[in-house]
Amino acid sequence: MAYKITDECIACGACEAECPVEAISAGDDKYVIDPEKCIDCGSCANVCPVDAPQPE
């Protein structure tokens, strides 16, 4: 099960730098996670100040 970034995202970029498989990239108004690359490790959720990354 991949993680998904909710609309709570404030586009700070903390999650992108933390992802070990580079599954996170900047979207139009928030960051997005590529579900094909995500390994469900939770690293992004651990560093997010607004708890935007959530298990899908």
Side-chain angles (χ1 to χ4, degrees), residues 23-49:
I24 302 174
S25 60
D28 290 335
D29 56 351
K30 65 179 183 176
Y31 278 78
V32 292
I33 298 176
D34 181 341
E36 297 294 316
K37 291 182 178 178
C38 180
I39 58 171
D40 195 31
C41 68
S43 293
C44 55
N46 291 336
V47 297
C48 181

